[in-house]
Amino acid sequence: MLTKRIIACMDVAEGRIVKGEKYTNFRDAGDPIAVAKEYSDMGVDELVFLDIKASVENRETTYNLVKKVAQEINIPFAVAGGVKTVEDVKNLLNSGADKVGIETAAVLNPDLINQAAEKFGSQCIVVSISPKRQDGSGWELYIKGGREATGVDAIGFSQDMAKRGAGELMVNSMDQDGTRAGYDLELLRAISDSVSIPVIASSGAGKMEHFLQAFQEGKADAALAASIFHYREIEVPELKKYLARNGIPVRLQIK
Amino acid sequence: MIAIIKYSGGNVRSVLNAIARLGLKGNVTSDASEILQADKVIFPGQGRAKPAMEDLNKQKLDEVIKKIEAPFLGICLGMQLLLPFSEEDDTKCLGVIPGKVKRFPNQDTEGNKLNVPLIGWNNVKQKKDDPLFKDVPDNSYFYFVNSYYADPESAAILGETKYGLNFASVVKKDNYYGVQFHPEKSGEVGEKLFKNFIGM
């Protein structure tokens, strides 16, 4: 039976894991390879590296990191952050990334998703979206790290992305981000119900219960978290046992 | 020497990395004599069946693959191409293992929505004993990414996986093995299976 995936996300800049206030005041939080290995040994199912300082100047550093991760780690991983062109996708895949996450460019240039999926296959194209709840109803997409509103409806956009060839959708709720109050379950369910590709829940996890809710009520296929794993506030083996006890299929046996 | 067949459909780097983790070196090649003289042949695959077959035919690798006598491992699309036909763009494939490659249905048998592609960790029920499964516990989890699945003759099925329906996730005929999942991305269990193949 297909299991629900637990994904650990690492924010990286210049080849190191960083933590701290969004986009300012970085604090070095470790070597991505060592942390990735620990996660893999704990039973994390997949990794995401978010290049938060992605820019032309430090692309090479990112490619080198991706190469090293691909050499050392034997579980799938995605790389996201600043991906704008088919060439960016190609370089990350050639460096050894299994998947590439695309966010802002998917909104500004949706044809990129068609082109990338056609060329490399849907399986490696993850579209990441950052919706924010609107006063009336529905959710509006934000881009550029949450700094810019787009007026685009999250549900319609998700369906469009699936049609264009996205292999997975990563849903980062702007409202829940950093709250540790749980994922936006209504948003997750609305998206899961409207597409036939896997949905990854992101933003808001604070307790084990939140993961259970993301799978049961949000109908997510995978749930992602960053700092609560990094600071061991939730231990992945415990989380998986808890989910299994509550009837969620998870990969328990890892050897 | 471990040959990794070089063609347009291959995801070579992750296979090379997996071989390197075992302390070995792979030779990525499309040279017929190198492939036919290799001790092991790995046939990776990613992407669509049609362009992959077109490239194999153009390089005359289709005939080379059929002549291989050494242990052979097709991975993902590399497994699917071993069958004679794929519903993906109605593609004529290699025909080393009888059967057909089909697309996953959009619903399971109970009428629930089935996401396609299948992406994630799923278990493999071992249907027969085989050296490939040495020290690999029954129902171990492997990482899958596929929209199509192989439906081979039943004699060729070594392992089965459930996704909407039961499909062949490990196949074998003579010296040809095929795995639908990515052993090189399936953690320690995948590494064991990979090692078992390399050690044959």
Side-chain angles (χ1 to χ4, degrees), chain A residues 24-209:
Chain A
T24 51
N25 302 328
F26 297 122
R27 190 157 69 75
D28 189 295
D31 169 20
I33 308 284
V35 175
K37 266 192 174 164
E38 276 176 45
Y39 280 148
S40 171
D41 289 344
M42 274 177 210
V44 167
D45 297 308
E46 200 168 318
L47 304 169
V48 172
F49 295 88
L50 179 60
D51 184 2
I52 60 171
K53 267 190 166 178
S55 66
V56 180
E57 307 88 75
N58 57 34
R59 273 284 175 218
E60 282 307 314
T61 318
T62 305
Y63 298 146
N64 286 333
L65 171 66
V66 173
K67 278 180 200 159
K68 256 190 260 164
V69 173
Q71 279 163 9
E72 304 272 339
I73 304 298
N74 56 16
I75 60 170
F77 70 97
V79 183
V83 176
K84 290 192 186 70
T85 63
V86 170
E87 191 69 16
D88 293 339
V89 177
K90 189 178 106 187
N91 287 334
L92 288 170
L93 293 176
N94 283 350
S95 300
D98 299 295
K99 306 175 184 184
V100 173
I102 306 177
E103 180 156 327
T104 296
V107 177
L108 299 180
N109 174 23
D111 287 343
L112 172 63
I113 304 306
N114 303 67
Q115 291 157 4
E118 177 70 24
K119 197 158 170 130
F120 310 109
S122 292
Q123 82 288 337
C124 61
I125 307 300
V126 181
V127 170
S128 166
I129 58 171
S130 296
K132 191 174 165 124
R133 204 175 273 269
Q134 286 179 299
D135 287 341
S137 64
W139 294 265
E140 180 185 3
L141 284 191
Y142 276 66
I143 53 170
K144 301 189 179 168
R147 294 188 300 268
E148 197 175 308
T150 62
V152 176
D153 167 59
I155 309 298
F157 182 79
S158 300
Q159 290 173 320
D160 182 47
M161 286 295 116
K163 261 193 224 119
R164 288 174 182 271
E168 292 177 86
L169 276 172
M170 189 190 293
V171 182
N172 319 293
S173 160
M174 294 272 298
D175 304 285
Q176 302 305 105
D177 192 24
T179 63
R180 303 200 169 193
Y183 299 99
D184 186 337
L185 302 175
E186 206 189 321
L187 169 66
L188 287 172
R189 194 169 49 243
I191 292 178
S192 296
D193 281 342
S194 54
V195 297
S196 297
I197 56 174
V199 169
I200 302 166
S202 169
S203 298
K207 298 191 284 191
M208 296 206 284
E209 200 186 338

Side-chain angles (χ1 to χ4, degrees), chain A residues 1-3 45 70-71 73-76 94-96 98-99 123 168 192 195-197 221 251 253 255, chain B residues 13 17 21 46 113 115-116 118-123 137 141 143 145 163 185-189 191-192:
Chain A
M1 188 176 194
L2 182 66
T3 57
D45 297 308
Q71 279 163 9
I73 304 298
N74 56 16
I75 60 170
N94 283 350
S95 300
D98 299 295
K99 306 175 184 184
Q123 82 288 337
E168 292 177 86
S192 296
V195 297
S196 297
I197 56 174
D221 302 279
R251 181 177 66 114
Q253 190 186 7
K255 291 189 179 184
Chain B
R13 183 181 280 268
N17 283 335
R21 282 194 290 270
Q46 201 175 61
K113 185 185 79 168
N115 285 336
V116 181
L118 153 61
I119 296 183
W121 297 79
N122 206 330
N123 61 311
Y141 289 97
Y143 187 75
V145 185
Y163 188 66
K185 287 288 166 183
S186 296
E188 278 195 38
V189 170
E191 205 148 285
K192 267 187 214 163

Side-chain angles (χ1 to χ4, degrees), chain B residues 81-93:
Chain B
L81 296 181
L82 293 176
L83 278 73
F85 179 79
S86 172
E87 281 183 1
E88 189 175 20
D89 305 322
D90 291 335
T91 306
K92 184 177 177 287
C93 302

